[in-house]
Amino acid sequence: MAQHNGDRPDWNGQSGERWIAHQARLDARLAVFGEAAIEAAAPAAGERVLDVGCGAGASTLALADRVGAGGQVLGVDISEPLIARARALAPQHTPALFRVADASSAELPEGAFDILFSRFGVMFFDDPTAAFAHMRRALKPGGRIAFVCWRGAAENDWVRLPMGAIKGIVPPTALPDPEAPGPFSFGDRGRVARILTAAGLTDIAIEPFDVSVPFGEGATRDAAIDNAVKMTFEVGPLSRLLADQPDDIRDRASAAVRAAFADRPGERSVMIDGATWIVTARNPAS
Ligand SMILES: C[S@@+](CC[C@H](N)C(=O)[O-])C[C@H]1O[C@@H](n2cnc3c(N)ncnc32)[C@H](O)[C@@H]1O
């Protein structure tokens, strides 16, 4: 079957704006994954950290708390609106700084950082090996990498369930190329290892981290399910798939996705399983 790249978000366009609209809920949903990656990074007081694809900056600020006033965290993101949101949310006197930049090519201070970190921000590079080789140069010799990324779509219920529900309603499209830039492009463990090795990194460890997270929340269970459906239609792969569909198809898809979410546990939430890799690696000492 032909393959396409249609899963690619436009971070300076609608994807960025919608991420901002749902930023608080998305941060609540993603916090547990970011915390696991921060534990793997083990930032110490006084260290310097580069947060790649920092978005609205939640992980950058959490890292800033860990490195303290004697350290520094630079959050870089290609999205102007998301960096504007990050700056607006940052408290005064934080050791976090934010910069609009394409991390795969922007000039970064050489040999400056103890840690290269990312919460779901490294799966969108056209040439991930070249991007990591470029970013690696910003690390000190012996510096470390820690990031969290999604495993495959088939393992992630937040996309598997709604995608399954709309089968037969939305006309089938070509299968996305699993290696094309997009949220699931790092799903294959062997591919991630090959990218990091080719970029010159060592001590690569790729560990599964699975957890159930509140996907939708509300004052009542019904409101939570509605919220989960709304977010699914506005952010992420399904929203891009449904964007150009006529209203009758979107309505039928919405009812089917609602029924799929209603099967999931949760009181004032819809609990959905997320499957990720926590990846660590090291810049060689010399
Ligand atoms: C899934 S979002 C995650 C945002 C944030 N890390 C979080 O967890 O909330 C992916 C982020 O990567 C950013 N991004 C994508 N390609 C990038 C690139 N080449 N350089 C810098 N940031 C990039 C996007 O703008 C977006 O903010």
Side-chain angles (χ1 to χ4, degrees):
M1 190 181 273
Q3 299 193 317
H4 72 101
N5 285 353
D7 193 26
R8 188 161 207 174
D10 55 335
W11 296 110
N12 274 299
Q14 200 175 54
S15 301
E17 292 302 339
R18 287 185 168 180
W19 192 283
I20 286 169
H22 294 286
Q23 169 256 315
R25 283 262 155 84
L26 287 166
D27 277 337
R29 188 189 290 178
L30 300 180
V32 64
F33 301 107
E35 282 156 18
I38 290 176
E39 285 316 308
E47 287 196 312
R48 292 187 72 185
V49 186
L50 178 65
D51 186 2
V52 174
C54 65
S59 57
T60 322
L61 298 179
L63 288 159
D65 283 345
R66 296 284 287 261
V67 300
Q72 194 189 73
V73 188
L74 174 63
V76 294
D77 200 286
I78 204 165
S79 167
E80 289 188 20
L82 279 161
I83 286 290
R85 172 59 64 93
R87 288 186 176 133
L89 291 174
Q92 268 194 329
H93 310 304
T94 174
L97 292 169
F98 294 100
R99 189 176 141 198
V100 178
D102 180 339
S104 67
S105 57
E107 205 174 301
L108 297 166
E110 199 141 323
F113 295 96
D114 299 281
I115 301 171
L116 191 160
F117 176 91
S118 185
R119 185 180 91 171
F120 300 117
V122 292
M123 305 90 85
F124 305 95
F125 301 124
D126 286 323
D127 183 342
T129 302
F132 272 95
H134 173 76
M135 297 187 299
R136 179 171 83 79
R137 290 197 276 280
L139 275 175
K140 293 177 182 173
R144 44 207 207 277
I145 289 194
F147 64 83
V148 59
C149 58
W150 298 114
R151 298 216 298 280
E155 291 182 83
N156 272 289
D157 276 0
W158 60 270
V159 65
R160 189 185 65 85
L161 286 180
M163 287 291 187
I166 63 167
K167 257 194 196 142
I169 298 173
V170 176
T173 55
L175 283 178
D177 174 355
E179 297 194 357
F184 304 108
S185 68
F186 274 29
D188 183 284
R189 182 187 218 149
R191 178 170 194 249
V192 177
R194 282 193 296 280
I195 288 167
L196 298 182
T197 304
L201 293 154
T202 59
D203 298 342
I204 297 160
I206 304 172
E207 299 294 338
F209 178 74
D210 295 11
V211 67
S212 193
V213 291
F215 200 68
E217 286 176 287
T220 63
R221 166 79 172 163
D222 266 352
I225 298 170
D226 287 341
N227 176 245
V229 175
K230 183 173 160 61
M231 287 184 71
T232 304
F233 270 62
E234 293 192 359
V235 189
L238 193 104
S239 70
R240 294 188 282 280
L241 196 68
L242 288 168
D244 298 327
Q245 295 298 327
D247 284 350
D248 62 320
I249 288 194
R250 286 176 63 86
D251 289 348
R252 285 171 57 211
S254 171
V257 171
R258 199 178 194 289
F261 284 154
D263 272 351
R264 297 296 303 166
E267 285 186 16
R268 291 180 190 165
S269 62
V270 179
M271 299 302 292
I272 304 266
D273 303 330
T276 65
W277 299 123
I278 302 285
V279 180
T280 53
R282 192 173 282 278
N283 194 22
S286 58

